[in-house]
Amino acid sequence: MKSLAPLIAGAMIMTATSTEAEQLNNERRRSTTDQVRSVAPALEQYTQTRLEDEVWNSPGLNRRDRSLVTIAALIARGGAPALAQYADLALRNGVKPAEISETITHLAYYSGWDKAMAAVGPVSDVFSRHGITTDQLAAVHPALLSLDEKKETERAMRVGEQFNSVAPGLVQYTTDYLFRDLWLRPDLAPRDRSLITVAALISTGQVEQITYHLNRAMDSGLTQEQAAEVITHLAFYAGWPNAMSALPVAKGIFEKRNGQGQTR
C-alpha cells in the first residue's frame, strides 16, 4: 500500500481549494509571494495572472507536457534551484517519476553533465517528500525500443560524410551512445523525448539543431499546434529572444510539411 501514497497525496492536492493550492505553490517557490511583492510587485502580479493562471492553462498543450517542457528548459539553462517547485508540479500534473528521471539523464547529453547533475539535488528532495523509491525510476539497463535501421543508417551516413574527417570519435559516440541507446530507452515516449530535446535547444538558442529535432518530434506525433505552443510557453521560461529566434525555423518546417500534404 505504501506505493499508493504518492498517488493519493497527488489526488488530495489536486482537489484542494485554490487558496490551498496557492499556499502550496508558495511554499515550494524559491521566493515567497511576499518576498517578490517587496521587490517587484508587478512581477508577482504577472506571475499569478499571466504565467500561472493564463499560460499554464492555455489550450494547445496540456499541463503534463508544459511540465516536461519547463523542466527541460530549467535544466538546459542551469535553473536547478527552481526545479523543486516544478518537479513537484510535474508529479501533480501527471508526469511519472521515471519520466522526470529519464529527462534528467537525457539532458546530460543535450545540455551537459554538470547541468544534469545540478538537477539531482532539488529533484531528490521532491522524490523523497513524495515517497518515491528507486523502483519507480528509469532502469539503468532497460529493454530498448525497436530501431528503424534504415533511418538510422541514413542519419549515420550523412553525419559521417560531413564530420568523420573532423571528429570521428564524436560521430561514433553520436551513433552508439545517442541514437542506438539513449533515444531507444523506453521510459520516455519518442514524442516526449523529442519534446524535451526541442525545449532544451530553444531554451539555449541552439537554432541550428532545431530543424532535425522538431521534425523528429512531429514525426513522432507532436502536432503543429502543440509545437507552436511549446515555443510560446518557452518565451516565459527562456526569454522572448530565444522564442522569437525559433520562430523562423518552425515556420519553415510547418510550411514544408504542410506543402507535402502533412497537416496537423
Side-chain angles (χ1 to χ4, degrees):
M1 293 297 293
K2 288 183 179 180
S3 63
L4 294 177
L7 298 176
I8 295 171
M12 291 174 64
I13 290 169
M14 290 182 71
T15 57
T17 65
S18 58
T19 301
E20 290 170 335
E22 182 177 348
Q23 289 172 345
L24 178 64
N25 184 50
N26 190 42
E27 286 173 3
R28 291 169 190 173
R29 280 193 194 178
R30 287 175 294 167
S31 302
T32 67
T33 54
D34 288 341
Q35 285 175 321
V36 180
R37 287 192 190 105
S38 71
V39 174
L43 176 60
E44 175 56 32
Q45 178 67 20
Y46 294 157
T47 300
Q48 290 290 336
T49 61
R50 297 183 180 180
L51 187 58
E52 295 177 0
D53 293 343
E54 184 175 345
V55 172
W56 274 86
N57 293 306
S58 295
L61 196 67
N62 63 38
R63 291 177 65 88
R64 174 195 174 276
D65 287 350
R66 288 182 189 278
S67 285
L68 282 173
V69 167
T70 305
I71 287 174
L74 291 172
I75 294 173
R77 293 175 61 80
L83 280 171
Q85 175 192 351
Y86 285 103
D88 183 89
L89 180 62
L91 292 172
R92 290 187 282 128
N93 283 339
V95 180
K96 298 175 183 177
E99 292 171 329
I100 296 176
S101 167
E102 192 64 18
T103 293
I104 295 171
T105 300
H106 184 89
L107 291 177
Y109 289 88
Y110 281 88
S111 298
W113 236 255
D114 58 331
K115 290 178 180 174
M117 288 295 187
V120 169
V123 175
S124 174
D125 291 341
V126 173
F127 282 2
S128 177
R129 190 162 58 243
H130 282 264
I132 293 166
T133 55
T134 54
D135 63 311
Q136 295 173 265
L137 306 181
V140 177
H141 300 296
L144 299 180
L145 301 175
S146 60
L147 175 68
D148 187 326
E149 286 284 357
K150 181 180 179 182
K151 284 187 177 180
E152 171 52 22
T153 299
E154 290 173 352
R155 184 211 61 79
M157 286 182 61
R158 286 196 306 271
V159 175
E161 288 170 358
Q162 287 180 291
F163 302 119
N164 259 333
S165 63
V166 180
L170 178 56
V171 170
Q172 194 61 50
Y173 287 152
T174 301
T175 295
D176 294 343
Y177 293 171
L178 268 64
F179 291 102
R180 289 186 176 271
D181 181 31
L182 183 70
W183 278 89
L184 302 179
R185 290 174 57 84
D187 285 294
L188 273 175
R191 170 195 177 277
D192 294 341
R193 199 172 285 277
S194 288
L195 180 69
I196 64 168
T197 305
V198 169
L201 294 172
I202 293 172
S203 296
T204 52
Q206 299 296 326
V207 177
E208 296 85 354
Q209 297 289 313
I210 294 173
T211 299
Y212 173 80
H213 286 288
L214 183 52
N215 268 307
R216 186 177 179 124
M218 296 180 76
D219 288 344
S220 296
L222 189 74
T223 68
Q224 180 173 319
E225 181 184 18
Q226 290 168 339
E229 197 62 26
V230 167
I231 299 172
T232 302
H233 185 92
L234 288 172
F236 291 84
Y237 286 92
W240 248 252
N242 282 327
M244 294 300 292
S245 294
L247 287 183
V249 180
K251 182 174 183 287
I253 291 170
F254 296 164
E255 289 176 347
K256 185 174 181 179
R257 293 178 73 92
N258 290 334
Q260 293 173 341
Q262 298 180 24
T263 63
R264 296 187 305 205

